[in-house]
Amino acid sequence: MTALDTRRLVAVSVARAYLTIVAQKRVIEAAVRARETDRAHYAYAHQRYGGGVGNRIDEVRAEQQVQSDEANVQQQYVALGRDREALGVLVGVGGPLDAEEPNLQAPSDPAQAMKDAEHRSDVVAADVRMRAAQHAIHDNWTDYSPYLSGTFMPFYSTPATVTYPTTGWEAQLLLTVPFYDAGLRYGQQKQRDVNRDEAQAELEATVRQARSDVRTAFEEVKRADAALSSSRRAADLAHTGLELANASYRAGASTDIEVIDAERTARDAETAVAVAEDGARQARLDLVAATGRFP
């Protein structure tokens, strides 16, 4: 049962590495969109400057933003490569592994989730250890009971003698009745009682932890979904602000500083959405793992 629980922990670690790749790909998508938006702004600024309408500083600022975006995209791809290699190491293959958007079906009934958590592999392992300790106490009587041991030994001897033939066998039965052992059996009995009490305490603590994990995971899912909703709303507003800034700049009512600031805000908002999505996925993984439904 401990081996099964270890497999569960390894599977959860693999799942987290898998979700990290999914989140990193979303971050890259946001970074690429930001780069393309800034490229369009640079192309417009360059066109204005070439036509004698704009100025050099607007063009330089726009190009600087494009180069910063390009550096960010490359850094995010490096992080993605590392995440893929990490997943490959955890799975035990000789190379990187990719990941796609998973379908995590988290439980919605807290009462049923609590019952499922009581059958989680770590809870079952703790229960088995406790019952094994109780079984050892139940067998205390064997330390006080007589026991019979037997031996059988064939032999071959050359040369033979008058009292010892060439071949033969010997069999022996030995009955042992323990009378005095200087307190060894009583000490062993006390040690088994302590082991049973420790196993019982461990089982109770494991059950409490499992239930706590379920409650925490439900709260985590609730808060993560709320954060994701707010992040998406913020990203929509940031994109609206970027569109307004571009329209104002093209109309000559503002400078490119406002546009660049809006572009950075939109990129940060998109990245925040990717992070919030990862938080929601991780929260559902925590809930599924807390109830023992994963793997």
Side-chain angles (χ1 to χ4, degrees), residues 102-114:
N103 183 20
L104 291 173
Q105 297 293 336
S108 57
D109 184 5
Q112 184 60 43
M114 285 291 185

Side-chain angles (χ1 to χ4, degrees), residues 4 35 109 125 170 190 226:
L4 289 178
R35 182 186 62 185
D109 184 5
E170 293 180 355
K190 291 179 180 179

Side-chain angles (χ1 to χ4, degrees), residues 57 74 125 139 141 148 203 281:
I57 190 171
Q74 298 306 321
D139 290 341
W141 62 271
L148 184 67
L203 174 60
R281 285 189 291 264

Side-chain angles (χ1 to χ4, degrees), residues 146-162:
Y147 58 91
L148 184 67
S149 61
T151 61
F152 176 81
M153 182 179 67
F155 65 84
Y156 172 80
S157 177
T158 184
T161 64
V162 177

Side-chain angles (χ1 to χ4, degrees), residues 8 113-124 203-217 286-287 289-292:
R8 179 184 69 90
M114 285 291 185
K115 294 179 181 179
D116 294 340
E118 294 178 0
H119 301 285
R120 214 167 65 180
S121 58
D122 55 341
V123 176
V124 174
L203 174 60
E204 293 173 356
T206 305
V207 172
R208 285 195 301 271
Q209 184 62 52
R211 292 172 178 171
S212 175
D213 290 344
V214 171
R215 290 191 297 269
T216 302
D286 289 342
L287 181 52
T291 57

Side-chain angles (χ1 to χ4, degrees), residues 61-143:
R61 286 171 178 164
E63 185 177 7
Q64 183 271 331
Q65 186 64 25
V66 171
Q67 297 303 323
S68 296
D69 289 341
E70 182 64 34
N72 181 52
V73 168
Q74 298 306 321
Q75 290 172 358
Q76 298 304 332
Y77 271 114
V78 170
L80 177 61
R82 290 174 179 169
D83 294 338
R84 286 171 171 168
E85 288 289 347
L87 180 60
V89 170
L90 281 174
V91 175
V93 299
L97 289 178
D98 199 11
E100 300 297 335
E101 184 72 33
N103 183 20
L104 291 173
Q105 297 293 336
S108 57
D109 184 5
Q112 184 60 43
M114 285 291 185
K115 294 179 181 179
D116 294 340
E118 294 178 0
H119 301 285
R120 214 167 65 180
S121 58
D122 55 341
V123 176
V124 174
D127 180 66
V128 170
R129 285 191 287 269
M130 190 270 293
R131 287 189 283 112
Q134 289 178 335
H135 185 74
I137 293 176
H138 180 267
D139 290 341
N140 276 337
W141 62 271
T142 59
D143 290 337

Side-chain angles (χ1 to χ4, degrees), residues 29-48:
E29 291 175 3
V32 170
R33 278 195 298 269
R35 182 186 62 185
E36 297 307 315
T37 300
D38 291 346
R39 279 179 176 174
H41 173 60
Y42 166 70
Y44 180 72
H46 179 70
Q47 183 181 8
R48 281 170 55 88

